[in-house]
Amino acid sequence: MESGRRAPVASRLPDFPWDSLAGAKKTAQSHPGGICDLSVGTPVDPTPAVAVDALTAAATRWAGYPTVWGTPALRASILGCLERRWKASGLTERNVLPVVGTKELVAWIPTQLGLGPDDLVVIPSTAYPTYEVGAAIVGAKIQRCDAPSQIEGTPALVWINSPANPHGAILSKDQLRAWVEYARQTGAVLASDECYGEFAWDAEPYSVLDADICGGSADGLLAVHSLSKRSNMAGYRGGFVAGDEKLCMELLELRKHGGMMLPGPVQDAMAAALDDHAHVEEQRRRYLARRAILRPALEEAGFTIDHSEGSLYLWATRGEDCRATVDWLAERGILAAPGDFYGTQSGQYVRIALTATDERINAAAERLKA
């Protein structure tokens, strides 16, 4: 292929945001007590034994290829979790599909749904960056907004996120019903990112697949779930999407051709983790205890915490440019994520993660008091 004949897809994408934190990270690392890295949502606590044991037991049983649709046991575990925990009803195996970590799905679903430059993708005004990346990969138009009444045009795909990354807001039942109604009226696919659903502190979380919200029908809906945070399995890259049967089967056929399959032992570990809720409650208690330490320390240091009803972050501001706040924290050996990673409306906020060890959370709290 001659030079200049190709337009790299990467050229449509923004700079990778985390690269811009290199200077602040270096400053924080120079602190005598070491860095307290509260910038990322990477779990630090042990993967539950029930998942590790299942993975270990499966290691010698998977000489052959796994299927993209997952084992019958995994599909049954996904359905069981949705029914028990999220009050879904009327779903069958044809309504669920394992995925290779949900970031992969979020990034590629506009492509896999056949969207292109003539399509509109709606994402929250303050949002996980990969929603925008997925739309940019196909060259789709993007609109940021937080209510159906704000949408201009007719979208092909709408993303909602509750509890939300980065700011932790939780959508009410009425808000979710409004999104479902809007999507069905317009023919848009409503994709609901529910990966932080198990971590709600000040409000009740719901799934769009809750029969009381969707009317017992999954038509036009896709709910995205991950075991990364729920079960400390981020390194396993296990998640699933569930909802509209036609959409799930459409994605299955495409992903079969593309070889987008979860390793067999990971499928077994996922099934075991989804069948067990005790470890989820244990992890909830860990994060709640860390939140109880870090939030008052931030407030005493002059921060205001907004939203933060759920998820694994505190959405904090000092009423100044977020990069100045990042630098202020870095001087104290604390690294946070600047709000400008998540949209133009969040330039005075930083996202501070609870995903650090108890020792590092305590250290950060002490430094904030100094």
Side-chain angles (χ1 to χ4, degrees):
M1 182 178 293
E2 294 178 13
S3 176
R5 294 283 299 278
R6 188 171 64 86
V9 174
S11 66
R12 303 177 196 159
L13 306 181
D15 293 336
F16 191 63
W18 296 97
D19 293 344
S20 68
L21 277 183
K25 185 174 184 178
K26 185 176 181 180
T27 298
Q29 287 172 328
S30 69
H31 189 279
I35 187 173
C36 297
D37 191 345
L38 309 183
S39 67
V40 294
T42 299
V44 299
D45 299 303
T47 302
V50 65
V52 175
D53 291 346
L55 182 81
T56 304
T60 59
R61 293 202 304 263
W62 279 97
Y65 290 109
T67 66
V68 172
W69 200 13
T71 63
L74 175 55
R75 297 197 295 270
S77 294
I78 292 171
L79 288 168
C81 178
L82 289 170
E83 292 164 1
R84 289 189 311 273
R85 179 66 182 89
W86 299 110
K87 300 180 181 179
S89 64
L91 302 181
T92 73
E93 289 186 329
R94 293 176 62 83
N95 297 99
V96 302
L97 178 64
V99 297
V100 191
T102 50
K103 182 169 185 176
E104 166 263 307
L105 180 78
V106 172
W108 289 108
I109 202 166
T111 301
Q112 294 176 4
L113 292 177
L115 274 57
D118 294 331
D119 292 305
L120 173 65
V121 176
V122 171
I123 66 174
S125 59
T126 300
Y128 178 48
T130 310
Y131 304 142
E132 182 174 6
V133 167
I137 286 172
V138 298
K141 296 182 284 292
I142 299 165
Q143 184 183 352
R144 290 177 176 264
C145 67
D146 297 313
S149 60
Q150 300 170 355
I151 297 176
E152 299 173 357
T154 303
L157 173 65
V158 175
W159 277 107
I160 57 175
N161 180 205
S162 175
N165 174 17
H167 52 62
I170 295 176
L171 296 174
S172 69
K173 274 192 172 183
D174 286 343
Q175 288 174 308
L176 288 170
R177 288 191 192 104
W179 279 114
V180 170
E181 181 179 356
Y182 172 83
R184 289 175 173 168
Q185 287 176 347
T186 60
V189 174
L190 179 63
S192 178
D193 182 347
E194 301 172 1
C195 291
Y196 291 91
E198 295 292 359
F199 303 109
W201 318 118
D202 300 327
E204 185 71 20
Y206 303 98
S207 171
V208 291
L209 298 180
D210 184 321
D212 191 38
I213 290 169
C214 67
S217 168
D219 290 353
L221 309 178
L222 293 174
V224 179
H225 286 255
S226 168
L227 278 79
S228 293
K229 309 298 194 297
R230 173 195 185 274
S231 301
N232 295 332
M233 293 172 64
Y236 287 55
R237 307 313 304 136
F240 64 87
V241 61
D244 186 297
E245 177 182 331
K246 182 179 178 181
L247 291 172
C248 287
M249 292 299 97
E250 176 185 331
L251 291 171
L252 173 60
E253 287 305 307
L254 185 150
R255 293 166 70 88
K256 283 160 61 175
H257 284 289
M260 303 180 81
M261 62 189 77
L262 272 170
V266 172
Q267 294 188 27
D268 288 1
M270 276 184 65
L274 288 169
D275 290 344
D276 178 74
H277 202 73
H279 75 273
V280 180
E281 289 301 320
E282 180 181 4
Q283 191 58 45
R284 275 181 51 82
R285 289 191 291 271
R286 290 187 183 117
Y287 285 132
L288 192 57
R290 291 167 186 164
R291 185 176 186 265
I293 292 168
L294 196 54
R295 178 168 187 157
L298 285 163
E299 290 173 333
E300 290 170 14
F303 285 83
T304 299
I305 309 298
D306 287 333
H307 299 304
S308 305
E309 296 97 357
S311 80
L312 303 182
Y313 312 103
L314 293 169
W315 192 233
T317 181
R318 282 167 30 107
E320 63 186 3
D321 183 88
C322 62
R323 296 289 173 158
T325 305
V326 166
D327 291 342
W328 186 90
L329 289 166
E331 290 169 1
R332 289 152 180 81
I334 301 167
L335 189 65
D340 58 22
F341 278 10
Y342 307 100
T344 58
Q345 296 184 23
S346 51
Q348 290 193 329
Y349 287 87
V350 292
R351 191 194 74 171
I352 299 176
L354 304 175
T355 50
T357 64
D358 293 344
E359 185 275 331
R360 288 288 86 184
I361 292 290
N362 284 318
E366 289 301 314
R367 294 174 191 184
L368 288 165
K369 296 174 185 177

